[in-house]
Amino acid sequence: MELNGKKDLKTALLQNPNGIGVLVSQTNHDGDEAKIRTLVFKVTGMTCSSCATAVESALMKLNGVKIAEVSPLQGVAVVKYNPEIITAKMIKEVAEETGFQVDEFPEQEIAVCRLRVKGMACTSCSESVERALLMVDGVKKAVVGLALEEAKVHYDPSITNTDRITEAIEDSGFEANLISSGTDVNKVHLQLEGINSQDDLTIIRCSLESLEGVNHVEMDVKEHKVTVSYESDSIGPRYLIQSIEEAGKGVCSYQVSLFTPPRPQDVERRREVQIYRNQFLWSCLFSFPIFISSMVLPMLPPYGNWLEYKVLNMLNVGLLLRWILCTPVQFVIGQRFYARSYHALRRKSANMDVLVAVGTNAAYFYSIYIMIKALTSESFEGQDFFETSAMLISFILLGKYLEVLAKGKTSDALAKLTDLAPDIACLLTMDGDGNVLSDVEISTQLIQRNDILKIVPGAKVPVDGTVVDGQSFVNESMITGEARPVAKGPGDKVIAGTVNENGCVVIRATHVGSETALSQIVQLVEAAQLARAPVQKLADQISRFFVPTVIVAAFTTTLGWFIAGEAFVYPKWWIPKAMDAFELALQFGISVLVVACPCALGLATPTAVMVATGKGALQGVLIKGGDALEKAHKVKIAVFDKTGTLTVGKPAVVSAVLFSNISMEDFCNMTISAESNSEHPIGKAVVEHAKKFCLNFGNQKEHFTEVKDFEVHTGAGVSGKVRDRTILVGNKRLMRVFNVSLGHDVESYISDNEKLARSCVIVAIDGTVAGAFAVTDPVKPEAARVVSFLHSMNISSVMVTGDNWATAAAIGKEVGIQEVFAETDPRGKADKIKELQLKGMTVAMVGDGINDSPALVAADVGMAIGAGTDVAIEAADVVLIKSNLEDVVTAIDLSRKTMLRIRLNYVWALGYNVLAMPIAAGILFPFTGIRVPPWLAGACMAASSVSVVCSSLLLQSYKKPLKVQAV
């Protein structure tokens, strides 16, 4: 993936779509952690140092302000303060009260944290957590993912903190653990040895906190472990280890080694699986004897006769045994349902746990009533429901166990991505002349920016970097899906996780840790999996009234059957033996309560989105959320940029012609001076051709005359002054703007080349055309096939480009695009998108450059070519990592398949409830004698949730409709 701009080494290859405000923590050596925040703003109106002193003294009087420095020359104030004591707004007000104006004041800095939320069962749970978070003062945005069991919170750190956010979730009845915060961008975990006392830990803490670039130090006193958050621009993990070891010299010897903690997601998933498995097994241990004693043995005389032995009055051994076995299941193993029901009702909502608690309690306490009646009566006979209560809980726990297992597989793609990076790397130590002094194998976690690394054949690239020596072919299929090896030489970029196939190369690390493309991809996929698709609103709306409706339906069912039985509406022989009308009615009511549980409804969308985004990432298509995934399936028009999108993006000059008496050498020198500051691919091609010409004719100079008054005319060219001569380099539109006349020879040259799909770059000096370059940019080999396939999907293709009409029309004809808009500037591209949208069409824009960013944002779905600029990638909804147009088809097709799967999931969930509720209510009983016992209803409810998750997992088998072909 290419990078543009001067800050190449500091710019992440894939920017996170959600900005993260980093909270810098400073820790006092006495152990009190005060989060000190730095505020920078401008103060205008100051004329001397006494003015600055007045502002400083006013600020320093504020409680919570640690440092206040004001520069009278630059008019800048730097204030360090404790946000727990004073707010930024108060600092601004005091600064203004001194009589000076405050400008460029940062109104708000937003930090982001992610938390694991445990205990959510359906969409009403996730909505309750969101409401609780949004009620916290300082929280600006909160997104809760049900399937991912995570919450992503955007908050103002000057108002609130992660502790308060965690408390808000716990107060709403769920368990919350912090996964990451803004300070976790770069973090290293270290295991300490040689620690003999508390003083040793204090020495290590002080040595780390004194280092520039260390944000936060967290000590585990018991385990002798330390976690350090740091800024990779200033410091690296090897220096941290070195600092600890040097701190022990003269006192004692400290040994430091890397400690890799297990991923919280994996640990939590394993723990959850183990909890549900153990609870299910314990439940079975008690429920199975209950089932045998109530359902099997009574039908096998004389083996079940002992169950009828009377203990007291009509209380027999079987009833007493079932009560003893059922009680632990109901109140110990089923305790989770009580706790969650309580919290749900406390926040004035109802979820699955409420239904389960109501259903099982109705069965249990009615059975207690039967047992008391039998205990106090000499002739009473009644049917208990202890087996219903116990088996219902057992089947629900089995369903949750299977559901957790299946949900774990939805994030398999993320696990595969994170495992791509190797564990070790070969670090080279070099002298000033570039000679290798030593090479040593180190953990990839110890790699720092600008390290020199050797990649041997067959080894994986550990971090993103630039090749400084050697030639090889790199297999980038792990990241991009492109099977064809890519040639790499000095100056080329390599991506972490890719495989070096044959030659040995030496690279310089440019992006490490969370800055690598691989880490950025994982972050984007995680964000996409957490984002809620608009189609999920249907499930959210249904869940709000669904549970109360089910409770009303269950009560109505019970009442209806009971009244009908007492009024002799149906014959007595309908009632099973050993039951009465109320018991039959109660069974129907409990079955309705349990069978209609909305768990499957809440899982229908998020599980499909998780699988689809993960699968897309493995295929080289990054989809930045459920919203983009849903919109992509509606696309009716695909708008393509030309240069770098439909074409290869590496233009080359095929001819150069002079139209004046200037020498070719002077012509090339002036063109180089004018175009050297241009970032446009065509401009770069012209400069490269001109330099080659000068080199061939003996001109070895590397520095050319600097251009003055340089100006970029978007979509037209550049202008400036070289040695007091005005020079214009661009297309015909630029010449028209500056009133430069084009002669017949020039017009003829331009026309002939445009018919060949070549762009002409005209050079005018002092108002006269001096010459021109003909530039060609080959069309991508897959472009025509992609346009044709999109047409078969009923998607129209449009090309919008800043190039001239003739070249654009020729390219359009070659790839099969009939509707072409040429000579369009960036704003014009965005306007064209909006114009198409006004026709009621869903528009996708495919582009790669900075000039495409407005159009990418304006489109319903923006698709950025992965080799394009960071700005374009930031603006897009979908990133095509491997820069292959075939992935435009992949993105749209994957979206369609996912939406189809989501609709099918809704059919499974809603259709199941629509069909199962009437059957559970006994609609078929008068005609067929079929009724659904509550324990069987519980099994069916569990099966519905598992079926929805398994349905989503079928997306794992997705295959691209168009295959990448080597050229």
Side-chain angles (χ1 to χ4, degrees):
M1 284 176 275
E2 297 294 332
L3 290 174
N4 292 331
K6 298 179 181 178
K7 297 181 180 180
D8 190 31
L9 296 179
K10 294 185 179 181
T11 306
L13 292 178
L14 291 174
Q15 300 288 349
N16 194 310
N18 299 314
I20 296 179
V22 179
L23 186 66
V24 180
S25 301
Q26 294 183 354
T27 309
N28 300 328
H29 298 319
D30 58 5
D32 296 331
E33 294 187 3
K35 293 179 178 178
I36 304 302
R37 196 163 193 71
T38 302
L39 189 65
V40 181
F41 56 91
K42 284 198 171 184
V43 182
T44 57
M46 295 186 297
T47 56
C48 59
S49 58
S50 61
C51 298
T53 304
V55 177
E56 282 182 6
S57 59
L59 293 173
M60 286 300 296
K61 290 178 182 177
L62 294 172
N63 184 25
V65 172
K66 304 298 181 183
I67 299 173
E69 297 178 352
V70 182
S71 169
L73 296 177
Q74 298 175 335
V76 175
V78 179
V79 182
K80 293 189 176 182
Y81 68 101
N82 187 341
E84 296 179 354
I85 301 174
I86 190 171
T87 64
K89 185 179 179 182
M90 293 169 63
I91 294 173
K92 180 183 179 183
E93 290 172 353
V94 170
E96 289 175 337
E97 286 174 2
T98 60
F100 301 100
Q101 184 178 348
V102 174
D103 293 329
E104 298 182 17
F105 191 86
E107 293 297 333
Q108 195 177 75
E109 186 170 350
I110 301 300
V112 180
C113 67
R114 289 172 56 223
L115 302 102
R116 171 77 58 191
V117 182
K118 290 183 282 186
M120 295 188 297
C122 56
T123 51
S124 63
C125 298
S126 60
E127 280 193 324
S128 298
V129 176
E130 278 190 12
R131 284 196 298 269
L133 288 170
L134 292 172
M135 289 174 66
V136 177
D137 191 25
V139 171
K140 305 303 176 185
K141 181 183 176 183
V143 181
V144 180
L146 174 63
L148 210 57
E149 295 182 332
E150 286 185 14
K152 187 174 185 180
V153 185
H154 299 246
Y155 66 98
D156 185 348
S158 64
I159 300 175
T160 189
N161 55 38
T162 55
D163 292 336
R164 293 176 191 168
I165 292 170
T166 304
E167 287 174 10
I169 297 175
E170 291 174 344
D171 288 343
S172 66
F174 300 94
E175 189 178 342
N177 295 310
L178 184 67
I179 297 175
S180 65
S181 63
T183 57
D184 296 336
V185 177
N186 287 290
K187 181 183 281 189
V188 65
H189 305 272
L190 303 173
Q191 177 73 59
L192 306 176
E193 294 180 10
I195 306 299
N196 300 314
S197 65
Q198 182 66 34
D199 292 338
D200 292 332
L201 294 175
T202 304
I203 291 171
I204 292 172
R205 179 188 284 275
C206 292
S207 68
L208 290 172
E209 289 171 348
S210 65
L211 296 174
E212 182 182 354
V214 171
N215 292 336
H216 183 62
V217 178
E218 184 179 338
M219 304 285 288
D220 186 339
V221 178
K222 190 175 181 181
E223 298 290 333
H224 293 170
K225 293 173 183 174
V226 60
T227 302
V228 186
S229 300
Y230 62 94
E231 296 177 9
S232 61
D233 290 337
S234 307
I235 201 168
R238 293 203 306 279
Y239 293 136
L240 296 173
I241 293 174
Q242 183 180 347
S243 173
I244 295 174
E245 291 175 345
E246 288 179 352
K249 291 180 179 178
V251 183
C252 57
S253 178
Y254 300 145
Q255 291 84 42
V256 187
S257 59
L258 280 174
F259 164 66
T260 306
R263 289 189 301 176
Q265 296 93 327
D266 295 339
V267 173
E268 186 56 41
R269 185 72 65 189
R270 285 196 296 269
R271 179 173 169 270
E272 195 173 15
V273 168
Q274 187 175 9
I275 288 173
Y276 277 117
R277 183 190 63 198
N278 292 343
Q279 287 186 340
F280 169 67
L281 292 176
W282 275 108
S283 181
C284 285
L285 184 65
F286 291 97
S287 300
F288 186 71
I290 297 175
F291 175 77
I292 295 296
S293 67
S294 62
M295 299 293 209
V296 179
L297 290 180
M299 300 174 65
L300 299 173
Y303 304 106
N305 292 345
W306 62 275
L307 295 170
E308 300 298 328
Y309 293 155
K310 301 296 187 293
V311 178
L312 183 63
N313 289 334
M314 296 301 291
L315 178 64
N316 58 38
V317 173
L319 183 57
L320 184 62
L321 180 65
R322 288 193 290 273
W323 170 66
I324 293 171
L325 292 172
C326 179
T327 301
V329 178
Q330 182 72 33
F331 297 106
V332 179
I333 298 172
Q335 182 184 9
R336 63 189 305 115
F337 301 112
Y338 286 98
R340 292 178 182 177
S341 297
Y342 166 73
H343 289 296
L345 294 173
R346 196 184 70 172
R347 58 179 181 263
K348 298 178 182 179
S349 66
N351 58 11
M352 178 204 79
D353 301 304
V354 173
L355 294 180
V356 174
V358 171
T360 56
N361 275 295
Y364 180 83
F365 285 106
Y366 177 74
S367 301
I368 292 291
Y369 163 75
I370 294 294
M371 192 173 74
I372 293 173
K373 288 277 288 183
L375 182 66
T376 57
S377 173
E378 295 181 357
S379 59
F380 174 79
E381 288 187 7
Q383 175 68 39
D384 66 277
F385 291 156
F386 283 126
E387 84 285 347
T388 293
S389 172
M391 292 180 65
L392 182 55
I393 290 174
S394 297
F395 275 112
I396 290 171
L397 291 173
L398 173 61
K400 294 299 292 182
Y401 171 63
L402 296 175
E403 183 184 314
V404 169
L405 284 177
K407 281 165 64 177
K409 294 184 180 298
T410 60
S411 55
D412 280 353
L414 266 185
K416 289 178 183 176
L417 282 173
T418 53
D419 291 341
L420 288 179
D423 296 326
I424 59 172
C426 182
L427 175 68
L428 300 183
T429 304
M430 308 185 80
D431 61 15
D433 298 327
N435 300 314
V436 177
L437 299 178
S438 66
D439 62 338
V440 61
E441 284 192 347
I442 63 169
S443 169
T444 52
Q445 296 180 51
L446 295 178
I447 297 175
Q448 300 175 174
R449 183 173 288 161
N450 293 322
D451 278 348
I452 304 298
L453 306 168
K454 181 172 72 173
I455 317 296
V456 298
K460 287 184 178 180
V461 179
V463 292
D464 295 347
T466 305
V467 177
V468 294
D469 188 29
Q471 301 279 345
S472 184
F473 284 88
V474 175
N475 186 339
E476 298 184 342
S477 61
M478 288 184 170
I479 299 292
T480 66
E482 174 65 71
R484 185 179 53 205
V486 180
K488 299 291 181 180
D492 291 331
K493 291 179 173 59
V494 289
I495 306 170
T498 56
V499 180
N500 180 28
E501 291 206 334
N502 47 18
C504 182
V505 293
V506 177
I507 69 167
R508 182 185 300 276
T510 57
H511 300 83
V512 298
S514 61
E515 301 167 350
T516 64
L518 185 60
S519 296
Q520 300 269 320
I521 289 170
V522 171
Q523 290 173 28
L524 283 173
V525 175
E526 285 179 339
Q529 291 183 345
L530 192 60
R532 183 173 297 176
V535 71
Q536 194 174 343
K537 291 179 181 177
L538 174 63
D540 296 341
Q541 291 168 356
I542 292 173
S543 67
R544 289 175 187 170
F545 62 85
F546 194 80
V547 173
T549 303
V550 170
I551 293 174
V552 171
F555 179 76
T556 305
T557 300
T558 304
L559 195 63
W561 275 101
F562 175 66
I563 292 173
E566 291 297 316
F568 303 104
V569 174
Y570 60 84
K572 282 287 184 182
W573 59 267
W574 280 14
I575 303 174
K577 189 179 178 181
M579 271 194 189
D580 58 23
F582 178 74
E583 291 167 353
L584 179 65
L586 185 61
Q587 275 212 356
F588 282 128
I590 294 173
S591 295
V592 170
L593 271 177
V594 176
V595 83
C597 187
C599 293
L601 192 65
L603 294 170
T605 299
T607 52
V609 170
M610 283 180 68
V611 177
T613 50
K615 187 66 177 178
L618 288 176
Q619 302 270 13
V621 178
L622 278 185
I623 302 171
K624 294 185 181 178
D627 191 15
L629 193 66
E630 182 173 345
K631 285 181 179 177
H633 92 283
K634 301 176 183 176
V635 169
K636 293 298 179 185
I637 297 179
V639 178
F640 293 90
D641 174 46
K642 183 181 76 70
T643 306
T645 302
L646 287 172
T647 62
V648 174
K650 293 184 178 179
V653 175
V654 292
S655 70
V657 176
L658 294 175
F659 296 106
S660 67
N661 294 327
I662 189 173
S663 69
M664 181 60 79
E665 186 175 356
D666 288 341
F667 173 71
C668 289
N669 286 337
M670 293 195 69
T671 302
I672 293 169
S673 298
E675 279 282 21
S676 58
N677 292 325
S678 174
E679 289 292 328
H680 197 282
I682 292 180
K684 290 182 177 180
V686 169
V687 170
E688 184 179 351
H689 176 82
K691 283 183 176 180
K692 283 182 180 178
F693 177 86
C694 293
L695 191 64
N696 291 338
F697 281 83
N699 187 347
Q700 300 288 338
K701 65 179 181 179
E702 296 181 1
H703 301 286
F704 295 85
T705 306
E706 186 177 351
V707 63
K708 298 178 181 178
D709 301 330
F710 178 79
E711 186 177 354
V712 175
H713 304 273
T714 307
V718 299
S719 65
K721 285 193 174 182
V722 179
R723 295 196 297 268
D724 296 327
R725 302 185 71 180
T726 302
I727 183 168
L728 305 173
V729 183
N731 55 24
K732 287 195 292 185
R733 187 146 61 97
L734 182 68
M735 301 302 128
R736 284 197 297 267
V737 170
F738 285 88
N739 298 317
V740 176
S741 61
L742 304 177
H744 176 72
D745 292 344
V746 178
E747 292 280 9
S748 177
Y749 178 79
I750 294 172
S751 177
D752 292 343
N753 280 284
E754 286 178 347
K755 290 176 183 177
L756 298 172
R758 297 173 180 172
S759 300
C760 287
V761 178
I762 308 165
V763 181
I765 301 175
D766 292 333
T768 303
V769 175
F773 297 91
V775 183
T776 185
D777 187 4
V779 173
K780 287 183 177 178
E782 73 274 12
R785 197 149 46 96
V786 168
V787 170
S788 174
F789 199 91
L790 287 174
H791 183 71
S792 69
M793 298 170 69
N794 295 320
I795 298 174
S796 304
S797 297
V798 176
M799 183 170 69
V800 180
T801 178
D803 211 338
N804 63 78
W805 278 99
T807 303
I811 295 290
K813 184 178 180 181
E814 185 175 347
V815 299
I817 297 178
Q818 296 179 349
E819 195 170 1
V820 176
F821 299 94
E823 299 181 13
T824 310
D825 60 15
R827 182 179 296 179
K829 290 183 179 181
D831 291 340
K832 185 57 63 178
I833 296 288
K834 293 173 184 175
E835 183 182 319
L836 293 170
Q837 288 171 331
L838 289 174
K839 297 178 182 179
M841 299 291 189
T842 301
V843 181
M845 171 68 194
V846 187
D848 70 318
I850 293 174
N851 60 338
D852 296 324
S853 299
L856 289 169
V857 173
D860 297 287
V861 181
M863 298 186 183
I865 298 295
T869 64
D870 291 331
V871 177
I873 291 171
E874 178 80 14
D877 302 300
V878 178
V879 180
L880 312 178
I881 303 176
K882 64 182 184 179
S883 304
N884 195 303
L885 283 178
E886 288 166 342
D887 284 337
V888 174
V889 175
T890 302
I892 297 173
D893 184 65
L894 179 59
S895 169
R896 291 183 176 184
K897 294 286 196 307
T898 305
M899 293 309 300
L900 183 64
R901 184 59 54 183
I902 289 173
R903 292 192 185 101
L904 186 60
N905 287 351
Y906 277 132
V907 170
W908 274 106
L910 285 173
Y912 167 85
N913 283 328
V914 169
L915 292 174
M917 277 183 66
I919 296 174
I923 195 171
L924 298 179
F925 184 67
F927 312 105
T928 63
I930 294 175
R931 62 188 176 91
V932 181
W935 62 267
L936 183 58
C940 293
M941 181 271 290
S944 71
S945 296
V946 175
S947 65
V948 165
V949 178
C950 292
S951 172
S952 297
L953 285 173
L954 291 176
L955 284 170
Q956 291 278 22
S957 61
Y958 174 80
K959 289 184 173 55
K960 293 183 178 184
L962 273 175
K963 298 293 183 183
V964 178
Q965 294 182 354
V967 182

